[in-house]
Amino acid sequence: MPNEIFTDAWAAAWGAELDRSDAYRAAAADWSDPMVFVQRGDPGAGREERAVLLDLDAGRCRGGRAASAGDRATAAFVLVASAADWRAILAGRLEPIAALMLGRLTLERGALAALVARTAAAREMVAAAARADGGAPEARE
């Protein structure tokens, strides 16, 4: 059974998939910053805000887990989007950099130029997330 996205178990599976990826390792050899990904809450839909952290280090991922408030306050990068926009990104219907440019993904912390320079690494991160999720993130929130 696939993991529900933006949970501790999903983040751990995502981190493990990312760490196994030779393509990510090559694309992110110069990336050593923790990243927090936030799924906005939607009280009308009964959905609380969720956040996960990936501990990135020179093309490796040292792990993924649910993010704490402290992680969000200190991570080098914090990206925020709605559940629908995250599903579109994880399903490959929306490129992460395009989502940033369109305002569907918000950079709460970090430098946009640094992310744009790592477009290939971002694509590999999305591919690893889809593998961690069992391949159909659009079906779950």
Side-chain angles (χ1 to χ4, degrees):
M1 168 101 175
N3 294 312
E4 185 177 357
I5 64 174
F6 283 83
T7 63
D8 191 54
W10 177 76
W14 185 13
E17 282 293 332
L18 199 56
D19 198 51
R20 284 191 286 270
S21 172
D22 292 333
Y24 173 75
R25 195 167 357 287
D30 66 340
W31 197 333
S32 293
D33 300 310
M35 294 190 72
V36 171
F37 302 85
V38 180
Q39 178 180 276
R40 282 191 201 102
D42 182 353
R47 183 182 311 111
E48 292 183 15
E49 181 176 274
R50 295 181 184 174
V52 297
L53 172 118
L54 291 180
D55 185 5
L56 308 175
D57 183 35
R60 303 299 306 239
C61 182
R62 294 184 287 212
R65 60 176 170 75
S68 68
D71 293 329
R72 188 170 177 174
T74 61
F77 294 92
V78 177
L79 294 163
V80 182
S82 69
D85 286 332
W86 279 122
R87 285 191 308 270
I89 290 167
L90 296 177
R93 295 187 310 268
L94 179 61
E95 288 285 328
I97 301 303
L100 279 165
M101 299 301 176
L102 294 168
R104 293 175 65 182
L105 180 61
T106 303
L107 183 60
E108 183 177 284
R109 177 185 306 282
L112 179 59
L115 290 180
V116 170
R118 295 178 173 117
T119 301
R123 283 189 190 112
E124 295 304 326
M125 291 173 83
V126 169
R131 290 190 304 272
D133 189 46
E138 67 275 5
R140 289 169 303 285
E141 298 179 12

